Amino acid sequence: VDDAGQANFDAVIAKDSRIEPKDWMPADYRHALVRQMSQHAHSEIIGMQPEANWITRAPSLKRKAILMAKVQDEAGHGLYLYSATETLGTTRDEMTEALLAGKARYSSIFNYPTVSWADMGAIGWMVDGAAITNQVPLCRASYGPYARAMVRICKEESFHQRQGFEILLELSHGTPGQKAMAQDAVNRWYAPSLMMFGPPDADSPNTSKSMAWNIKRFGNDELRSRFVGMLAEQVKVLELELPDPDIRFNEDTKSWDYGPLDWAEFKEVLAGRGPCNAQRMERRRAAHDDGAWVREAAAAYAAKQSASNDR
Ligand code: ACO
């Protein structure tokens, strides 16, 4: 242990300031950040798949252009987060290896199928809505590169959420068939989007340390409850319903109550046995293999450039 480094670290955390890459930091703080940030980056990259599934079938040129831009934004978020994680001394190759070997986690939500166009609306409104609720507090995370990455990512996520909401709004005011399709998508994505916030606080081993280090600012349950409140208001504008009769504002706790969630299903998804886990990993590995020539060409080009610079 570096005593002076530890004292500086403690002081920075105590005054709610930022740790930067060259500052001394405890090994377990570094480890916690690499864990969370790399999982977050992998989620963005795997998260491209469920929506890319609909690019060729978007119902108009305008919708197709918007969806393509959104999926590209997700690639950008992933790369941005890999770069931020690299400042902690873990290479992108190491992170990629861990993902491809099935050793790294990514968000549970991306293991569910996208079966109709309305799913693009529900993902934007609910999945990106949950992401914003979780990530706005991360703009104040104590690690500088992560916090700064989150500012830009949250701005783009806000646009993503608006586009999803607008898809659902249009469908819910369309034909009865379109409205039913929108309702069906909301029914299927509701519980999985609530589970994105992670296990209940009592089963969340990482929260207390992460909060002490100012990485996390709120527990999983508090953010989940806030998200339910947001959905409960916005669903009225959509003229749709949430598939949970237990949603109500609790005057005693001043937070939103909701019905029980199926945590056994969550554990299955985390264990790799969700509806699309195998398919997502297979696709990711194939994409990595398909990209081998690009990596080789880039490495050859870089070697040539550095050789000519040496001359
Ligand atoms: N999907 C997959 N794994 C999860 C999920 C989830 N929705 N929620 C929790 N877990 C995992 C945790 O990673 C942890 O496993 P690990 O210790 O092996 O890493 C375990 O379940 C226990 O959970 P917690 O102790 O609550 O973990 P943590 O304090 O890290 O909280 C959370 C989980 C809230 C997801 C946090 O990591 C976080 O805020 N991450 C950044 C946001 C993010 O990754 N979003 C990705 C989806 S949004 C998007 O990409 C559009």
Side-chain angles (χ1 to χ4, degrees), residues 35-36 39-40 43-44 105-108 110 128 131 134-135 138 146 157 195-199 203-207 210 216 220 266 270:
R35 180 186 65 79
Q36 176 165 329
Q39 286 174 5
H40 195 163
S43 303
E44 299 281 358
R105 293 195 193 285
Y106 58 87
S107 183
S108 51
F110 301 119
D128 296 317
N134 164 263
Q135 289 169 28
L138 293 174
Y146 191 31
E157 294 291 1
M195 291 184 198
M196 285 174 69
F197 293 90
D203 300 325
S204 165
N206 300 300
T207 294
S210 284
K216 274 171 110 161
N220 299 352
F266 178 75
L270 260 63

Side-chain angles (χ1 to χ4, degrees), residues 26-302:
D28 43 358
Y29 174 80
R30 186 185 300 274
H31 180 262
L33 284 168
V34 170
R35 180 186 65 79
Q36 176 165 329
M37 291 165 67
S38 62
Q39 286 174 5
H40 195 163
H42 298 325
S43 303
E44 299 281 358
I45 298 299
I46 298 278
M48 295 168 72
Q49 293 184 39
E51 287 171 288
N53 182 32
W54 280 89
I55 290 176
T56 57
R57 292 175 288 168
S60 70
L61 182 61
K62 185 181 105 182
R63 294 290 183 199
K64 188 172 180 143
I66 294 170
L67 189 59
M68 278 172 64
K70 178 180 190 281
V71 174
Q72 283 179 2
D73 283 352
E74 281 151 13
H77 297 173
L79 299 187
Y80 216 50
L81 284 163
Y82 283 132
S83 297
T85 315
E86 284 193 307
T87 66
L88 292 157
T90 302
T91 66
R92 186 165 148 202
D93 282 349
E94 287 167 334
M95 292 183 260
T96 304
E97 277 303 306
L99 177 66
L100 297 178
K103 291 183 195 150
R105 293 195 193 285
Y106 58 87
S107 183
S108 51
I109 194 74
F110 301 119
N111 294 305
Y112 290 86
T114 45
V115 299
S116 80
W117 169 253
D119 288 11
M120 300 303 99
I123 289 183
W125 180 47
M126 302 171 110
V127 174
D128 296 317
I132 296 167
T133 309
N134 164 263
Q135 289 169 28
V136 166
L138 293 174
C139 296
R140 294 188 291 120
S142 56
Y143 188 57
Y146 191 31
R148 289 188 288 273
M150 279 300 122
V151 173
R152 170 164 173 183
I153 290 175
C154 285
K155 284 184 185 164
E156 293 184 348
E157 294 291 1
S158 301
F159 154 71
H160 294 172
Q161 194 203 12
R162 294 288 291 269
Q163 69 87 38
F165 183 86
E166 203 258 343
I167 289 174
L168 289 179
L169 189 67
E170 194 154 317
L171 289 175
S172 85
H173 293 91
T175 64
Q178 286 171 327
K179 181 162 186 163
M181 186 166 79
Q183 183 62 59
D184 173 62
V186 167
N187 291 350
R188 282 180 291 105
W189 289 93
Y190 170 76
S193 70
L194 262 63
M195 291 184 198
M196 285 174 69
F197 293 90
D201 293 346
D203 300 325
S204 165
N206 300 300
T207 294
S208 60
K209 270 195 163 177
S210 284
M211 284 180 69
W213 283 322
N214 296 341
I215 298 173
K216 274 171 110 161
R217 299 288 175 161
F218 303 98
N220 299 352
D221 290 326
E222 178 167 356
L223 292 176
R224 187 169 14 250
S225 164
R226 266 195 216 174
F227 174 62
V228 169
M230 185 201 85
L231 292 183
E233 289 305 317
Q234 295 185 0
V235 79
K236 295 178 198 160
V237 183
L238 290 174
E239 296 178 32
L240 295 172
E241 281 170 19
L242 295 173
D244 182 349
D246 296 333
I247 295 176
R248 62 180 56 86
F249 188 71
N250 184 326
E251 285 296 343
D252 297 331
T253 60
K254 300 280 178 234
S255 64
W256 287 83
D257 289 344
Y258 47 87
L261 293 166
D262 184 354
W263 292 109
E265 175 182 308
F266 178 75
K267 286 185 185 142
E268 280 295 290
V269 174
L270 260 63
R273 293 185 292 267
C276 298
N277 293 60
Q279 181 188 330
R280 300 290 184 243
M281 287 307 300
E282 195 181 315
R283 179 76 201 100
R284 184 71 203 88
R285 290 190 184 108
H288 187 74
D289 292 346
D290 288 349
W293 70 273
V294 180
R295 291 188 296 279
E296 282 158 22
Y301 180 75

